Amino acid sequence: MAGSSGKVLDFEEYVRNRQDALLRSARRLVPDPIDAQDLLQTALVRTYGRWDGIADKSLADAYLRRVMINTRTEWWRARKLDEVPTEQLPDASVEDGTEQHADRALLMDILGVLAPKQRSVVVLRHWEQMSTEETAEALGMSTGTVKSTLHRALARLRQELESRDLDFHALERVDRGQERCAA
């Protein structure tokens, strides 16, 4: 019984020290803050059951990120069947008026066009600033696969940004044309 309470204290201390960084990682994997908290909690519960199996506790963050990615993928697959494609996308909401927040909302929205595997690679390489080798290890893929997946994901993101920019400029021209007609 004494070993069990030591495990609990060890895990609690780890969570207390790393919870902010882990929540940021979860937030980057799912756009909704509530879903990110749920994702982290689910990953923590799953990790706690295997805590003794993590011999090198310095790898606990990588283990938890992998659990979060797997959990997010499970959720995505389960939800995928319930989604219905529409012609009209809902407007992205911005909680405050700062440009930084708007940029972040746009980026999170645009990340939604990527497949889960691509999103995971982009998040780990660019937000978590992991090396290609670390990303490959965390995702269980070769470095070549990480590189090619990242290349395709970034190309897709550029394409999406360009198409949204073109849509925005077309909308501006229509608005200016309506102003001239009203004058």
Side-chain angles (χ1 to χ4, degrees), residues 90-109:
D91 291 335
S93 65
V94 179
E95 294 172 14
D96 66 18
T98 65
E99 187 175 315
Q100 181 182 14
H101 190 76
D103 288 346
R104 182 182 202 138
L106 174 64
L107 185 55
M108 294 306 289
D109 187 42

Side-chain angles (χ1 to χ4, degrees), residues 119-138:
R119 192 176 321 128
S120 297
V121 169
V122 170
V123 166
L124 293 179
R125 282 289 288 128
H126 290 285
W127 264 307
E128 297 295 329
Q129 298 181 351
M130 295 175 114
S131 68
T132 302
E133 292 76 19
E134 291 169 331
T135 302
E137 185 177 328

Side-chain angles (χ1 to χ4, degrees), residues 49-131:
R50 302 195 179 260
W51 187 247
D52 288 338
I54 303 173
D56 184 357
K57 300 299 188 221
S58 67
L59 299 176
D61 278 7
Y63 184 89
L64 256 161
R65 274 194 221 98
R66 183 76 232 166
V67 172
M68 284 192 282
I69 289 167
N70 290 345
T71 302
R72 192 267 336 266
T73 301
E74 289 171 15
W75 291 355
W76 178 78
R77 285 180 180 152
R79 191 186 72 210
K80 186 177 180 181
L81 300 174
D82 297 336
E83 292 180 356
V84 178
T86 64
E87 290 292 322
Q88 196 91 10
L89 293 175
D91 291 335
S93 65
V94 179
E95 294 172 14
D96 66 18
T98 65
E99 187 175 315
Q100 181 182 14
H101 190 76
D103 288 346
R104 182 182 202 138
L106 174 64
L107 185 55
M108 294 306 289
D109 187 42
I110 287 178
L111 279 174
V113 303
L114 298 178
K117 178 180 170 183
Q118 290 178 325
R119 192 176 321 128
S120 297
V121 169
V122 170
V123 166
L124 293 179
R125 282 289 288 128
H126 290 285
W127 264 307
E128 297 295 329
Q129 298 181 351
M130 295 175 114
S131 68

